Coordinates of all heavy atoms in Angstrom, one line a residue:
M200 N 115.4 94.9 108.8 CA 114.7 96.1 109.3 C 115.8 97.2 109.5 O 116.8 96.9 110.2 CB 113.9 95.8 110.5 CG 113.3 97.0 111.2 SD 112.2 96.7 112.5 CE 113.2 96.1 113.8
K201 N 115.5 98.4 109.0 CA 116.5 99.5 109.2 C 116.0 100.3 110.4 O 114.9 100.7 110.6 CB 116.5 100.4 108.0 CG 117.4 101.5 108.1 CD 117.4 102.3 106.8 CE 118.4 103.5 107.0 NZ 118.4 104.3 105.8
V202 N 117.0 100.5 111.3 CA 116.7 101.3 112.5 C 117.5 102.5 112.5 O 118.8 102.5 112.3 CB 117.0 100.5 113.8 CG1 116.8 101.3 115.0 CG2 116.2 99.2 113.9
T203 N 116.9 103.7 112.7 CA 117.7 105.0 112.8 C 117.7 105.5 114.2 O 116.6 105.6 114.8 CB 117.0 106.0 111.9 OG1 117.0 105.5 110.5 CG2 117.8 107.3 111.9
V204 N 118.8 105.8 114.7 CA 119.0 106.2 116.1 C 119.4 107.7 116.0 O 120.4 108.0 115.3 CB 120.0 105.4 116.9 CG1 120.1 106.0 118.3 CG2 119.6 104.0 116.9
R205 N 118.6 108.6 116.7 CA 119.0 110.0 116.7 C 119.1 110.4 118.2 O 118.4 109.9 119.1 CB 117.9 110.8 116.1 CG 117.8 110.7 114.6 CD 116.8 111.7 114.0 NE 115.5 111.3 114.4 CZ 114.6 112.0 115.2 NH1 115.1 113.1 115.8 NH2 113.5 111.5 115.5
K206 N 120.0 111.4 118.4 CA 120.1 112.0 119.7 C 118.9 112.9 120.0 O 118.3 113.4 119.0 CB 121.4 112.8 119.9 CG 122.6 112.0 119.7 CD 123.8 112.9 119.8 CE 125.1 112.2 119.6 NZ 126.3 113.0 119.7
R207 N 118.5 113.0 121.2 CA 117.4 113.9 121.6 C 117.7 115.3 121.1 O 118.9 115.7 121.1 CB 117.1 113.9 123.1 CG 116.4 112.7 123.6 CD 115.1 112.4 123.0 NE 114.0 112.9 123.9 CZ 112.8 113.1 123.4 NH1 112.5 112.8 122.2 NH2 111.9 113.5 124.2
N208 N 116.8 116.1 120.7 CA 116.9 117.5 120.3 C 117.7 117.6 119.0 O 118.1 118.7 118.7 CB 117.5 118.3 121.4 CG 116.7 118.3 122.6 OD1 115.4 118.3 122.6 ND2 117.3 118.3 123.8
E209 N 117.9 116.6 118.2 CA 118.6 116.6 117.0 C 117.5 117.0 115.9 O 116.4 116.4 115.9 CB 119.2 115.3 116.6 CG 120.0 115.3 115.4 CD 120.7 114.0 115.1 OE1 121.2 113.4 116.0 OE2 120.7 113.6 113.9
E210 N 117.9 117.9 115.0 CA 117.0 118.4 114.0 C 116.9 117.3 112.9 O 117.9 116.8 112.5 CB 117.4 119.7 113.4 CG 117.4 120.8 114.4 CD 118.1 122.1 114.0 OE1 118.8 122.0 113.0 OE2 117.8 123.1 114.6
I211 N 115.7 117.1 112.4 CA 115.4 116.2 111.3 C 115.4 117.0 110.0 O 114.6 118.0 109.9 CB 114.1 115.5 111.5 CG1 114.1 114.7 112.8 CG2 113.8 114.6 110.3 CD1 112.8 114.3 113.3
P212 N 116.2 116.7 109.0 CA 116.3 117.5 107.8 C 115.0 117.2 106.9 O 114.6 116.0 106.8 CB 117.5 117.0 107.1 CG 117.8 115.7 107.6 CD 117.3 115.7 109.0
V213 N 114.5 118.2 106.3 CA 113.4 118.1 105.3 C 114.0 118.7 104.1 O 114.2 119.9 104.0 CB 112.1 118.9 105.8 CG1 111.1 118.8 104.7 CG2 111.6 118.4 107.1
W214 N 114.3 117.9 103.1 CA 114.9 118.3 101.9 C 113.9 118.8 100.9 O 112.9 118.2 100.6 CB 115.7 117.1 101.3 CG 116.8 116.7 102.2 CD1 116.8 115.6 103.1 CD2 118.1 117.2 102.3 NE1 117.9 115.5 103.8 CE2 118.8 116.5 103.3 CE3 118.8 118.3 101.7 CZ2 120.1 116.8 103.7 CZ3 120.1 118.6 102.1 CH2 120.7 117.8 103.0
I215 N 114.2 120.0 100.3 CA 113.4 120.6 99.2 C 114.3 120.9 98.1 O 115.5 121.1 98.2 CB 112.6 121.9 99.7 CG1 113.6 123.0 100.2 CG2 111.7 121.5 100.9 CD1 112.9 124.3 100.4
E216 N 113.7 121.0 96.9 CA 114.4 121.4 95.7 C 113.9 122.7 95.1 O 114.2 123.1 94.0 CB 114.2 120.3 94.6 CG 114.8 119.0 95.1 CD 114.6 117.8 94.1 OE1 114.1 118.1 93.0 OE2 115.0 116.7 94.4
T217 N 113.1 123.4 95.9 CA 112.5 124.7 95.5 C 113.1 125.8 96.4 O 113.8 125.5 97.4 CB 111.0 124.7 95.6 OG1 110.6 124.3 96.9 CG2 110.4 123.7 94.6
E218 N 112.7 127.0 96.1 CA 113.2 128.2 96.8 C 112.6 128.2 98.3 O 113.3 128.5 99.2 CB 112.8 129.5 96.1 CG 113.2 130.7 96.9 CD 112.8 132.0 96.2 OE1 112.2 132.0 95.1 OE2 113.0 133.1 96.7
F219 N 111.3 127.8 98.4 CA 110.7 127.7 99.7 C 109.6 126.6 99.7 O 109.3 126.1 98.6 CB 110.0 129.1 100.0 CG 108.9 129.5 99.1 CD1 107.6 129.0 99.3 CD2 109.2 130.3 98.0 CE1 106.6 129.4 98.5 CE2 108.1 130.6 97.1 CZ 106.8 130.2 97.4
I220 N 109.1 126.3 100.8 CA 108.0 125.4 100.9 C 107.0 125.9 102.0 O 107.4 126.6 103.0 CB 108.5 124.0 101.3 CG1 107.3 123.0 101.3 CG2 109.1 124.0 102.7 CD1 107.8 121.5 101.4
K221 N 105.7 125.7 101.7 CA 104.7 126.2 102.7 C 104.7 125.2 103.9 O 105.0 124.0 103.8 CB 103.3 126.3 102.1 CG 103.3 127.4 101.1 CD 101.8 127.5 100.5 CE 101.8 128.6 99.5 NZ 100.5 128.7 98.9
L222 N 104.4 125.8 105.1 CA 104.4 125.0 106.3 C 103.6 123.7 106.2 O 104.1 122.6 106.6 CB 103.9 125.8 107.5 CG 103.9 125.2 108.9 CD1 105.2 124.6 109.3 CD2 103.4 126.2 109.9
E223 N 102.4 123.8 105.7 CA 101.5 122.6 105.7 C 102.2 121.6 104.7 O 102.1 120.4 105.0 CB 100.1 122.9 105.3 CG 99.9 123.4 103.9 CD 98.4 123.6 103.5 OE1 97.6 123.1 104.2 OE2 98.2 124.3 102.5
S224 N 102.8 122.0 103.6 CA 103.4 121.1 102.7 C 104.7 120.4 103.3 O 105.0 119.3 103.1 CB 103.8 121.8 101.4 OG 102.6 122.3 100.8
A225 N 105.4 121.2 104.1 CA 106.6 120.7 104.8 C 106.2 119.6 105.8 O 106.9 118.6 105.9 CB 107.3 121.8 105.5
M226 N 105.0 119.8 106.5 CA 104.6 118.8 107.4 C 104.2 117.5 106.7 O 104.5 116.4 107.2 CB 103.4 119.3 108.2 CG 103.8 120.4 109.2 SD 102.4 121.1 110.2 CE 102.1 119.7 111.3
K227 N 103.6 117.6 105.5 CA 103.3 116.4 104.7 C 104.5 115.8 104.2 O 104.6 114.6 104.3 CB 102.3 116.8 103.5 CG 100.9 117.2 104.0 CD 100.0 117.3 102.9 CE 100.3 118.4 101.9 NZ 99.4 118.6 100.8
L228 N 105.5 116.6 103.7 CA 106.7 116.0 103.2 C 107.5 115.3 104.3 O 108.1 114.2 104.0 CB 107.6 117.2 102.6 CG 108.9 116.8 102.0 CD1 108.6 115.8 100.8 CD2 109.6 118.0 101.5
A229 N 107.5 115.8 105.5 CA 108.1 115.1 106.6 C 107.4 113.9 107.2 O 107.8 113.3 108.2 CB 108.4 116.2 107.7
N230 N 106.2 113.6 106.6 CA 105.4 112.5 107.1 C 104.9 112.7 108.5 O 104.7 111.7 109.2 CB 106.1 111.2 106.9 CG 106.3 110.8 105.5 OD1 105.4 111.0 104.7 ND2 107.5 110.3 105.2
I231 N 104.6 114.0 108.9 CA 104.1 114.3 110.2 C 102.6 114.1 110.1 O 102.0 113.6 111.1 CB 104.4 115.7 110.6 CG1 105.9 115.9 110.7 CG2 103.7 116.1 111.9 CD1 106.4 117.3 110.9
V232 N 102.0 114.5 109.0 CA 100.5 114.4 108.8 C 100.3 113.7 107.5 O 101.1 113.7 106.6 CB 99.8 115.8 108.9 CG1 99.9 116.4 110.3 CG2 100.4 116.7 107.8
M233 N 99.1 113.2 107.3 CA 98.7 112.5 106.1 C 98.1 113.5 105.0 O 98.1 113.1 103.9 CB 97.8 111.4 106.4 CG 98.4 110.3 107.3 SD 100.0 109.6 106.6 CE 99.3 108.7 105.2
S234 N 97.5 114.6 105.5 CA 96.8 115.5 104.5 C 97.0 116.9 104.9 O 97.3 117.2 106.0 CB 95.3 115.1 104.5 OG 94.7 115.5 105.7
G235 N 96.7 117.8 104.0 CA 96.8 119.2 104.2 C 95.7 119.6 105.2 O 95.9 120.5 106.0
G236 N 94.5 119.0 105.2 CA 93.5 119.3 106.2 C 93.9 119.0 107.6 O 93.6 119.8 108.5
S237 N 94.6 117.9 107.8 CA 95.1 117.5 109.1 C 96.2 118.5 109.5 O 96.2 119.0 110.7 CB 95.7 116.1 109.1 OG 96.2 115.8 110.3
A238 N 97.1 118.9 108.6 CA 98.1 119.9 108.9 C 97.4 121.3 109.3 O 97.8 121.9 110.3 CB 99.0 120.1 107.7
K239 N 96.4 121.6 108.6 CA 95.7 122.9 108.9 C 95.2 122.9 110.3 O 95.3 123.9 111.0 CB 94.5 123.0 107.9 CG 93.6 124.2 108.1 CD 92.5 124.2 107.1 CE 91.5 125.3 107.5 NZ 90.3 125.3 106.5
I240 N 94.6 121.8 110.7 CA 94.0 121.8 112.1 C 95.1 122.0 113.1 O 95.0 122.8 114.0 CB 93.2 120.5 112.3 CG1 92.0 120.5 111.4 CG2 92.9 120.3 113.8 CD1 91.3 119.1 111.3
H241 N 96.2 121.2 113.0 CA 97.3 121.2 114.0 C 97.9 122.6 114.0 O 98.3 123.1 115.1 CB 98.3 120.2 113.7 CG 97.8 118.8 113.8 ND1 97.6 118.2 115.1 CD2 97.5 117.8 112.9 CE1 97.1 117.0 114.9 NE2 97.1 116.7 113.6
I242 N 98.1 123.2 112.8 CA 98.7 124.6 112.7 C 97.8 125.6 113.4 O 98.2 126.4 114.2 CB 99.1 124.9 111.3 CG1 100.2 124.0 110.8 CG2 99.5 126.4 111.2 CD1 100.3 124.0 109.2
Q243 N 96.5 125.6 113.0 CA 95.6 126.6 113.4 C 95.3 126.5 115.0 O 95.0 127.5 115.6 CB 94.3 126.6 112.7 CG 94.5 127.1 111.3 CD 93.2 127.1 110.4 OE1 92.2 126.4 110.8 NE2 93.2 127.9 109.4
E244 N 95.5 125.3 115.5 CA 95.3 125.2 117.0 C 96.5 125.6 117.8 O 96.6 125.4 119.0 CB 94.8 123.7 117.2 CG 93.4 123.5 116.8 CD 92.9 122.2 117.1 OE1 93.6 121.4 117.8 OE2 91.7 121.9 116.8
G245 N 97.6 126.0 117.1 CA 98.8 126.5 117.8 C 99.8 125.4 118.2 O 100.6 125.6 119.1
F246 N 99.7 124.2 117.6 CA 100.6 123.1 118.0 C 102.0 123.1 117.3 O 102.8 122.3 117.6 CB 99.9 121.7 117.8 CG 98.7 121.6 118.6 CD1 97.5 121.1 118.0 CD2 98.7 121.8 120.0 CE1 96.4 120.9 118.8 CE2 97.6 121.6 120.8 CZ 96.4 121.2 120.1
V247 N 102.2 124.1 116.4 CA 103.4 124.1 115.6 C 104.1 125.4 115.8 O 103.5 126.5 115.9 CB 103.1 124.0 114.1 CG1 104.3 124.0 113.2 CG2 102.2 122.7 113.8
T248 N 105.4 125.3 116.0 CA 106.3 126.5 116.1 C 107.2 126.6 114.9 O 107.6 125.6 114.3 CB 107.1 126.5 117.4 OG1 108.0 125.5 117.4 CG2 106.3 126.5 118.6
V249 N 107.5 127.8 114.5 CA 108.4 128.1 113.4 C 109.5 129.0 113.9 O 109.2 130.1 114.4 CB 107.7 128.7 112.2 CG1 108.7 129.2 111.1 CG2 106.6 127.8 111.6
N250 N 110.7 128.6 113.8 CA 111.8 129.3 114.4 C 111.6 129.8 115.8 O 111.9 130.9 116.2 CB 112.1 130.5 113.4 CG 112.6 130.1 112.1 OD1 113.2 129.1 111.9 ND2 112.2 130.9 111.1
G251 N 111.0 128.9 116.6 CA 110.8 129.1 118.0 C 109.6 129.9 118.4 O 109.3 130.1 119.6
E252 N 108.7 130.3 117.5 CA 107.5 131.0 117.8 C 106.3 130.3 117.2 O 106.3 129.7 116.1 CB 107.5 132.4 117.2 CG 108.6 133.3 117.8 CD 108.6 134.7 117.1 OE1 107.6 135.1 116.5 OE2 109.6 135.4 117.3
V253 N 105.2 130.3 118.0 CA 103.9 129.6 117.5 C 103.5 130.3 116.2 O 103.5 131.5 116.1 CB 102.8 129.7 118.6 CG1 101.5 129.2 118.1 CG2 103.2 129.0 119.9
C254 N 103.2 129.4 115.3 CA 102.7 129.9 114.0 C 101.4 129.3 113.6 O 101.2 128.1 113.7 CB 103.7 129.5 112.9 SG 103.3 130.1 111.3
T255 N 100.4 130.1 113.3 CA 99.1 129.7 113.0 C 98.7 129.9 111.5 O 97.6 129.7 111.1 CB 98.0 130.3 113.8 OG1 98.1 131.8 113.7 CG2 98.2 130.0 115.3
M256 N 99.7 130.2 110.7 CA 99.6 130.4 109.3 C 100.0 129.2 108.5 O 101.2 128.9 108.4 CB 100.4 131.6 108.8 CG 100.0 132.9 109.5 SD 101.0 134.3 108.9 CE 102.6 133.8 109.2
R257 N 99.1 128.4 108.0 CA 99.4 127.2 107.3 C 100.2 127.5 106.0 O 101.0 126.6 105.6 CB 98.2 126.3 107.0 CG 97.3 126.9 106.0 CD 96.0 126.1 105.9 NE 95.0 126.7 105.0 CZ 94.3 126.1 104.2 NH1 94.4 124.8 104.1 NH2 93.5 126.7 103.4
G258 N 100.0 128.6 105.4 CA 100.8 129.0 104.2 C 102.1 129.7 104.4 O 102.7 130.2 103.5
K259 N 102.5 129.7 105.7 CA 103.8 130.3 106.0 C 104.9 129.8 105.2 O 105.1 128.6 105.1 CB 104.1 130.1 107.5 CG 105.5 130.5 108.0 CD 105.6 132.0 108.2 CE 106.9 132.3 108.8 NZ 107.2 133.7 108.6
K260 N 105.7 130.6 104.5 CA 106.8 130.2 103.6 C 108.0 129.9 104.5 O 108.4 130.7 105.3 CB 107.1 131.2 102.6 CG 106.0 131.4 101.6 CD 106.4 132.5 100.6 CE 105.3 132.7 99.6 NZ 105.7 133.8 98.6
L261 N 108.5 128.7 104.3 CA 109.8 128.3 105.0 C 110.9 128.2 104.0 O 110.7 127.6 102.9 CB 109.6 126.9 105.6 CG 108.4 126.8 106.7 CD1 108.4 125.4 107.2 CD2 108.6 127.8 107.8
Y262 N 112.0 128.8 104.3 CA 113.2 128.8 103.4 C 114.3 127.9 104.0 O 114.3 127.6 105.2 CB 113.7 130.2 103.3 CG 112.7 131.1 102.5 CD1 111.7 131.8 103.2 CD2 112.7 131.3 101.1 CE1 110.8 132.6 102.6 CE2 111.8 132.0 100.5 CZ 110.8 132.7 101.2 OH 110.0 133.5 100.5
P263 N 115.2 127.5 103.2 CA 116.3 126.7 103.8 C 117.0 127.4 105.0 O 117.2 128.6 105.0 CB 117.3 126.6 102.6 CG 116.5 126.7 101.4 CD 115.4 127.7 101.8
G264 N 117.1 126.6 106.1 CA 117.7 127.2 107.3 C 116.6 127.4 108.3 O 116.9 127.4 109.6
D265 N 115.3 127.5 107.9 CA 114.2 127.6 108.9 C 113.9 126.3 109.5 O 114.1 125.3 109.0 CB 112.9 128.1 108.1 CG 113.0 129.6 107.8 OD1 113.7 130.4 108.3 OD2 112.2 130.0 106.9
C266 N 113.4 126.4 110.8 CA 113.1 125.2 111.5 C 111.6 125.3 112.0 O 111.1 126.4 112.2 CB 113.9 125.1 112.8 SG 115.6 124.8 112.5
F267 N 111.0 124.1 112.1 CA 109.6 124.1 112.6 C 109.6 122.9 113.6 O 110.3 121.9 113.4 CB 108.5 124.1 111.6 CG 108.4 122.8 110.8 CD1 107.6 121.8 111.1 CD2 109.2 122.6 109.6 CE1 107.5 120.6 110.4 CE2 109.1 121.5 108.9 CZ 108.3 120.5 109.2
S268 N 108.8 123.0 114.6 CA 108.7 121.9 115.6 C 107.2 121.5 115.8 O 106.3 122.3 115.7 CB 109.2 122.5 117.0 OG 110.6 122.8 116.8
Y269 N 107.1 120.2 116.1 CA 105.7 119.7 116.3 C 106.0 118.5 117.2 O 106.8 117.6 116.9 CB 105.1 119.3 115.0 CG 103.8 118.6 115.1 CD1 102.7 119.3 115.6 CD2 103.6 117.3 114.9 CE1 101.4 118.8 115.7 CE2 102.3 116.7 115.1 CZ 101.3 117.4 115.5 OH 100.1 116.8 115.7
Q270 N 105.2 118.4 118.3 CA 105.2 117.3 119.2 C 106.6 116.9 119.6 O 107.0 115.7 119.7 CB 104.5 116.0 118.6 CG 103.0 116.2 118.5 CD 102.3 115.0 118.1 OE1 102.9 114.1 117.6 NE2 101.0 115.0 118.3
G271 N 107.4 117.9 120.0 CA 108.8 117.6 120.5 C 109.8 117.3 119.5 O 111.0 117.1 119.9
E272 N 109.5 117.3 118.3 CA 110.5 117.0 117.2 C 110.8 118.3 116.5 O 109.8 119.1 116.3 CB 110.1 116.0 116.2 CG 109.9 114.6 116.8 CD 111.2 113.9 117.1 OE1 112.3 114.4 116.7 OE2 111.1 112.8 117.8
T273 N 112.0 118.6 116.1 CA 112.3 119.8 115.3 C 112.8 119.4 113.9 O 113.7 118.5 113.8 CB 113.4 120.6 116.0 OG1 112.9 121.0 117.3 CG2 113.8 121.9 115.3
Y274 N 112.3 120.1 112.9 CA 112.6 119.8 111.5 C 113.3 121.0 110.9 O 112.8 122.1 111.1 CB 111.3 119.4 110.8 CG 110.6 118.3 111.4 CD1 109.7 118.5 112.5 CD2 110.8 117.0 110.9 CE1 109.1 117.4 113.0 CE2 110.1 115.9 111.5 CZ 109.3 116.1 112.5 OH 108.6 115.1 113.1
R275 N 114.3 120.8 110.2 CA 115.0 121.9 109.5 C 114.9 121.8 108.0 O 115.1 120.7 107.4 CB 116.5 122.0 109.9 CG 117.3 123.1 109.1 CD 118.7 123.2 109.6 NE 118.8 123.7 111.0 CZ 118.7 124.9 111.4 NH1 118.5 125.9 110.5 NH2 118.9 125.2 112.6
I276 N 114.5 122.9 107.3 CA 114.4 122.9 105.9 C 115.8 123.0 105.3 O 116.6 123.9 105.7 CB 113.6 124.2 105.4 CG1 112.2 124.1 106.1 CG2 113.4 124.2 103.9 CD1 111.3 122.9 105.9
C277 N 116.1 122.1 104.4 CA 117.4 122.0 103.8 C 117.3 121.8 102.3 O 116.3 121.3 101.7 CB 118.2 120.7 104.3 SG 118.4 120.7 106.1
T278 N 118.3 122.3 101.6 CA 118.5 122.1 100.1 C 119.8 121.4 99.9 O 120.7 121.4 100.7 CB 118.4 123.4 99.3 OG1 119.5 124.2 99.7 CG2 117.1 124.1 99.5
H279 N 119.9 120.8 98.8 CA 121.2 120.1 98.4 C 122.3 121.1 98.1 O 123.5 120.8 98.2 CB 121.0 119.2 97.2 CG 120.1 118.1 97.6 ND1 120.4 117.0 98.4 CD2 118.8 117.9 97.2 CE1 119.4 116.2 98.6 NE2 118.4 116.7 97.8
E280 N 121.9 122.4 97.8 CA 123.0 123.4 97.6 C 123.5 123.9 98.9 O 124.6 124.4 98.9 CB 122.4 124.6 96.8 CG 122.0 124.3 95.4 CD 120.5 124.1 95.3 OE1 119.7 124.7 96.0 OE2 120.1 123.2 94.4
A281 N 122.8 123.9 100.0 CA 123.2 124.5 101.3 C 124.2 123.6 102.0 O 124.3 122.5 101.8 CB 122.0 124.7 102.2

């Protein structure tokens, strides 16, 4: 069994190979939610922040370097070029 230990408040990388990713897709890619419908609900209810501000737009474009947070975890959009 593989165990990963992270320090509190450490950002979790979400690796993309495109110029940007939509917020709901990033949540699915990070395995936070199982479907776009589930992501839509959490986003529209104001449970997700993007770069420190509440975001209710599920189609919000996230670029490398952007961060989003959900349930106390922070995720950073990364590319292999960055």
Side-chain angles (χ1 to χ4, degrees):
M200 176 169 66
K201 182 179 178 181
V202 177
T203 302
V204 178
R205 287 184 293 109
K206 295 179 183 176
R207 288 298 265 165
N208 300 324
E209 184 177 319
E210 296 170 345
I211 301 165
V213 178
W214 296 96
I215 63 171
E216 296 180 4
T217 56
E218 179 183 357
F219 65 87
I220 188 169
K221 291 183 179 180
L222 177 57
E223 69 176 341
S224 297
M226 291 179 73
K227 290 190 298 187
L228 184 61
N230 292 319
I231 298 170
V232 295
M233 298 302 291
S234 69
S237 179
K239 175 183 173 180
I240 292 168
H241 294 288
I242 294 166
Q243 289 181 339
E244 290 184 0
F246 296 130
V247 181
T248 62
V249 174
N250 297 326
E252 297 182 15
V253 173
C254 180
T255 57
M256 300 181 302
R257 65 184 177 142
K259 171 78 173 162
K260 292 180 181 179
L261 303 177
Y262 294 89
D265 285 339
C266 293
F267 69 95
S268 298
Y269 177 73
Q270 290 188 341
E272 295 286 353
T273 301
Y274 302 83
R275 178 174 294 277
I276 305 301
C277 302
T278 62
H279 295 288
E280 293 100 33

